[in-house]
Amino acid sequence: MTDGTTVPTPDAPATTSTGSPTQGRREADGPYARLRVAVVGTGLIGGSVLLRLRDAGLDVTGWDPDPVTRERTRARGVSAPDAVEEAVSGRDLVFLCGPLPTLARTLAQVAEVTAPGCVLTDVGSTKAEVAEAADRLGLTDRFVPGHPMAGAESAGLAAASPSLLAGAAWVLCPSPGAATLAFRWLAGFLVELFGARVVPMSPPAHDSVAALASHVPHLLAGALAGATQRSPLRDAVLALAAGSFSDGTRVAGTPAERTANMLLGNRERVLDELAEVRVLLDELADALRAGDATGLTARYAQAGAARSALRGRRFVPADREFPAGGDHAVEVAWLRELGDAGGHLTGCRVGPDVVSYPALLPLAD
């Protein structure tokens, strides 16, 4: 920055602290108060990031390829230059929030016009492809792939909210080497500003988990809602539809192009997990066809256990410390193991000699 402020970058990580879900217009302080941030792509997720940072009092700019959206951004009290280069120039942190097929191209474009110390991250729902692009571009020292696990069936800046991402599980993908420094700082930032539960994972692990946690549910919702739309009894079905139908088809209301991009971006993993779901559907159908009440009951008891675990998860502390300048491979291995086990970070403190990770792990059933 030009005012002499020390900016936390991969080359000079700041001390960060634990945080809690943000409420109201709580402003940033400490190492974040004077950050300059840009958000590229101001739809539902990008717009929600933008509005949260605005409410925190940060110097934030937004950019979107749609001129109408840029005008709406200005109407929300946020600077929105017409050129993406102007929006990201001189920034300390840039969120890439455009459609999945554009992320690699946008990453290259933004990297060319930002300083080497500017941390870059994205919010895309698949991670392997953009992580590979960053590696090809030589950007793994400052690009941290990310994915906040939150959203809505609505789209666009009009649907965005500064509270949409509060307390969300937010996947970050640390890479061994210099990128660990950017990861450390960004993890602390997301906890402090969004109250995020930071889940560290490798890009392939994220894509496999997201296939079953998010992407296959979109397929199932689309199938149920689509079958209803095709049915000659559609209106009667909708007249009787209650919570089970509404909950089961909610994400079918997501903009179709966004859903298609997500599924195609993770195609092989989604198809693999869908095959496993089909096995269970076939088992349920076979038990139903055979009048096998015991078989149906057993399978629904198994399903109910997963549902109960989702609603009643309990956690235990799993804090760890590492040398600040030590073996990043060991640190990253632990971080990824934490995420793979269902754990998350509740902060990151970086001192001159030690980096501390407050963390939580789920109790075994």
Side-chain angles (χ1 to χ4, degrees), residues 1-2 7-11 36 85 88-94 107-120 138-139 141-143:
M1 296 174 70
T2 58
V7 177
T9 69
D11 299 314
R36 305 183 71 208
E85 292 82 4
V88 303
S89 179
R91 300 281 126 178
D92 308 308
L93 170 64
V94 178
L107 175 61
Q109 182 181 13
V110 169
E112 286 185 359
V113 293
T114 52
C118 174
V119 175
L120 308 174
L139 295 173
D141 62 330
R142 62 186 181 113
F143 175 68

Side-chain angles (χ1 to χ4, degrees), residues 254-265:
T254 303
E257 183 178 5
R258 192 168 80 192
T259 300
N261 287 338
M262 176 185 70
L263 295 173
L264 290 170

Side-chain angles (χ1 to χ4, degrees), residues 146-165:
H147 180 203
M149 301 299 295
E153 60 268 30
S154 304
L157 183 62
S161 165
S163 63
L164 178 68
L165 303 173

Side-chain angles (χ1 to χ4, degrees), residues 34 58 62 81 101 115 121 134 149 173 176 181 184 192 194 198 202 230 264 266 282 315 330 350 355:
R34 305 183 76 175
L58 294 185
T121 189
M149 301 299 295
C173 301
L181 305 182
R184 292 169 177 172
E192 184 67 23
F194 294 88
V198 174
S202 70
R230 291 180 181 180
L264 290 170
N266 201 22
D282 287 342
F315 293 83
V330 173
V350 181
V355 55

